[in-house]
Amino acid sequence: MARQEKTVWFCSNCGVESSKWMGRCPGCGEWNTMVEERVVKKKGVVSTFEHREDTVARPITQIETREEQRMRMPSEELNRALGGGLVAGSIILVGGEPGIGKSTLVLQNILSMRGRRILYVSGEESASQLKMRADRIGKLNDNCYIVCDTSLESILNHIAHVDPELLIVDSIQTIASDAIESAAGSVSQVRECAARLLRYAKESGTPVILIGHINKEGSIAGPKVLEHIVDAVLQFEGDRHYMYRILRSIKNRFGSTSELGIYEMVQKGLREVTNPSELLLSQGSDEQLSGISVGVTLEGVRPFLIETQALVSTAAYGTPQRSVTGFDAKRMNMLLAVLEKRVGFKLAQKDVFLNIAGGLKVNDPALDLSVICAILSSNVDIAVPRDVCMSGEVGLSGEIRPVTRIEQRILEAEKLGFGTIVIPKNNIKGFDTSRLKIKIVEVAKVEEAFRALFA
């Protein structure tokens, strides 16, 4: 068998190929991302599957549209993130940190799919380890086939033998093709294996789910071209020390990228959280404590209420501490500057600690109003009423700016039994509030919000 060998340079960020080393990648513009690889291509290695017939160019007016056939998954939260289920012939990439629960999420879903032939290819774990995980989940399925292999050509032979209706590859970084002589997980191997699996999915109409690693920056490991090859990218997020997990859609050719699924890690796997607001709000005693406020935020298109906790105390050392968990530290410093400059609260010589309950990380600017109210409540040691929630972005001049999807936020607060919601002024134009039982308080400045809460 003839061999063609050459040394090429790949960008580890975007996958651009170059015949020589370059300090700056010509594709993505990043510095020092070019890595050297020896690529050996063997002639005579062909795909197991035939080429598709060439399509004919047609005017767009003559193209018939049809509804995509979807395979519904047992988890409704997963269906939500996918846009309604797996589309026939699609290839999905699920990424996340090690130990976050990617394999558990996929395994417990396929074990619940009765009547469908499924092939699970594992390149990281042994068959006995997967069986132990299935026993812990408490579900077994005779139609779920397990094979532990890392050779792409061998995997394609297993696929031809089993003829699955759904294929799982865990993980794409461990698979290597004999056509390229470089280490598994390298840029060329990941690109080649993903392209071959994509070709199989489109030719056979079988959905393929790839499980991938993420790098230390938090993005999908491997070349950026991997994300361009697949039809959808789902990111599984969450702190391993907390119980909640968020399945976020980063890219989806068959649905919206603003949808997400929420799970809770329990002993038997992952449990769907259909109403996260009830879990994220404290269910403690009736005693009202200062430094706690409830904000209405959006994750994707789902509104839910979360608890913002703040503690303000006199600085024990010369330099005041600023500690933030689950919120942008720079944004909190900006809000503290607004409180001092525009409202007159002296916080420069005080320690400020801020925490978003539940271990969530929130980037929604509508949480600004809840943050400054929690800080002020702790500073003056006056509790915010427990039946009051709020939503609003705070500007540098101390104004409360309008937020998106305010109607959904109000309805979510009313559904959970809150009596009052504080929102930006003129944010509900054209929204009929006559049928609402919740009291709506509109404020234009930070001072107005404080007077409404602590008058």
Side-chain angles (χ1 to χ4, degrees):
M1 183 179 296
R3 294 157 62 94
Q4 291 182 341
E5 180 177 341
K6 65 176 181 177
T7 300
V8 296
W9 294 83
F10 287 103
C11 174
S12 59
N13 185 48
C14 66
V16 167
E17 179 181 332
S18 175
S19 59
K20 60 181 180 179
W21 180 85
M22 305 180 73
R24 186 175 185 179
C25 172
C28 61
E30 294 292 330
W31 288 91
N32 300 321
T33 57
M34 304 298 289
V35 293
E36 182 181 15
E37 288 187 12
R38 188 182 62 170
V39 178
V40 179
K41 294 189 176 181
K42 303 175 183 178
K43 290 186 177 180
V45 178
V46 296
S47 173
T48 309
F49 301 93
E50 298 296 330
H51 286 280
R52 289 184 295 175
E53 295 182 359
D54 293 334
T55 57
V56 179
R58 292 176 293 168
I60 192 171
T61 54
Q62 297 181 10
I63 298 176
E64 296 180 0
T65 58
R66 63 181 186 276
E67 186 176 353
E68 299 287 349
Q69 296 181 358
R70 292 184 181 267
M71 181 188 297
R72 298 286 296 181
M73 305 297 286
S75 172
E76 287 302 322
E77 295 294 300
L78 180 56
N79 287 327
R80 180 197 298 270
L82 288 170
L86 284 173
V87 175
S90 63
I91 181 166
I92 313 298
L93 176 62
V94 180
E97 295 180 357
I100 203 69
K102 307 181 296 296
S103 301
T104 301
L105 172 68
V106 174
L107 188 61
Q108 75 179 33
N109 269 274
I110 63 175
L111 290 177
S112 300
M113 299 175 68
R114 306 294 178 181
R116 290 190 180 275
R117 196 166 50 257
I118 301 168
L119 179 60
Y120 189 105
V121 179
S122 176
E124 296 183 336
E125 296 178 294
S126 64
S128 59
Q129 288 175 316
L130 290 171
K131 178 62 164 55
M132 290 172 59
R133 178 176 293 166
D135 291 336
R136 177 171 57 85
I137 294 173
K139 298 177 182 178
L140 294 177
N141 188 350
D142 290 335
N143 291 322
C144 182
Y145 295 83
I146 304 294
V147 61
C148 300
D149 206 330
T150 57
S151 169
L152 178 63
E153 283 70 28
S154 178
I155 291 171
L156 292 175
N157 290 331
H158 288 298
I159 292 172
H161 176 70
V162 176
D163 189 21
E165 298 175 67
L166 174 61
L167 174 65
I168 315 294
V169 178
D170 183 10
S171 66
I172 185 61
Q173 280 85 7
T174 62
I175 308 301
S177 172
D178 295 338
I180 297 178
E181 216 171 82
S182 59
S186 62
V187 175
S188 54
Q189 284 286 9
V190 170
R191 183 168 56 182
E192 173 70 13
C193 294
R196 296 272 291 276
L197 290 172
L198 172 68
R199 181 177 169 185
Y200 158 72
K202 300 305 180 184
E203 291 176 357
S204 64
T206 303
V208 177
I209 297 179
L210 308 178
I211 298 177
H213 302 158
I214 66 171
N215 54 30
K216 59 183 179 180
E217 286 81 19
S219 56
I220 303 292
K224 202 67 177 176
V225 70
L226 176 61
E227 297 184 32
H228 297 306
I229 288 175
V230 300
D231 295 313
V233 180
L234 303 181
Q235 186 95 352
F236 208 37
E237 303 173 354
D239 194 327
R240 285 180 292 171
H241 303 292
Y242 288 90
M243 65 184 80
Y244 301 113
R245 304 286 188 269
I246 293 178
L247 185 65
R248 195 184 305 275
S249 177
I250 299 177
K251 168 190 174 181
N252 194 347
R253 289 174 179 161
F254 307 109
S256 172
T257 55
S258 57
E259 291 285 3
L260 54 84
I262 302 179
Y263 294 88
E264 179 185 9
M265 179 64 76
V266 294
Q267 185 177 2
K268 290 189 175 181
L270 292 161
R271 186 183 70 84
E272 296 181 61
V273 179
T274 56
N275 192 357
S277 300
E278 294 181 352
L279 296 177
L280 296 173
L281 299 178
S282 62
Q283 306 293 332
S285 62
D286 294 334
E287 181 184 1
Q288 295 189 1
L289 301 175
S290 63
I292 296 177
S293 66
V294 177
V296 189
T297 184
L298 281 177
E299 279 289 344
V301 296
R302 296 180 69 178
F304 57 91
L305 286 78
I306 57 176
E307 198 172 88
T308 307
Q309 303 171 346
L311 177 63
V312 180
S313 61
T314 304
Y317 306 99
T319 304
Q321 298 184 63
R322 300 285 188 263
S323 179
V324 185
T325 304
F327 193 73
D328 187 4
K330 293 181 179 179
R331 191 163 188 88
M332 189 194 74
N333 289 331
M334 182 202 78
L335 296 175
L336 292 177
V338 171
L339 289 177
E340 184 148 349
K341 179 73 174 180
R342 303 296 183 188
V343 192
F345 291 101
K346 304 301 179 183
L347 301 171
Q349 298 303 317
K350 294 187 177 182
D351 294 335
V352 179
F353 303 92
L354 182 68
N355 177 52
I356 305 299
L360 293 180
K361 295 180 180 178
V362 182
N363 297 317
D364 188 2
L367 199 66
D368 290 352
L369 187 56
S370 178
V371 168
I372 62 173
C373 288
I375 292 172
L376 176 64
S377 172
S378 178
N379 185 46
V380 299
D381 201 21
I382 300 177
V384 177
R386 297 192 64 174
D387 67 336
V388 175
C389 61
M390 58 207 72
S391 184
E393 180 183 354
V394 177
L396 290 178
S397 61
E399 81 277 12
I400 308 298
R401 301 178 61 83
V403 296
T404 59
R405 300 182 183 271
I406 190 65
E407 298 89 351
Q408 291 178 273
R409 301 175 195 257
I410 295 173
L411 294 174
E412 180 73 10
E414 183 186 41
K415 184 175 70 173
L416 290 172
F418 281 83
T420 305
I421 181 170
V422 182
I423 64 171
K425 196 170 185 179
N426 299 325
N427 200 180
I428 53 172
K429 292 181 178 179
F431 179 52
D432 184 15
T433 60
S434 58
R435 297 183 180 180
L436 299 177
K437 297 179 181 179
I438 189 171
K439 180 183 177 182
I440 299 176
V441 178
E442 298 184 77
V443 293
K445 289 283 187 178
V446 173
E447 303 94 311
E448 296 180 25
F450 293 161
R451 283 196 295 268
L453 292 173
F454 307 110

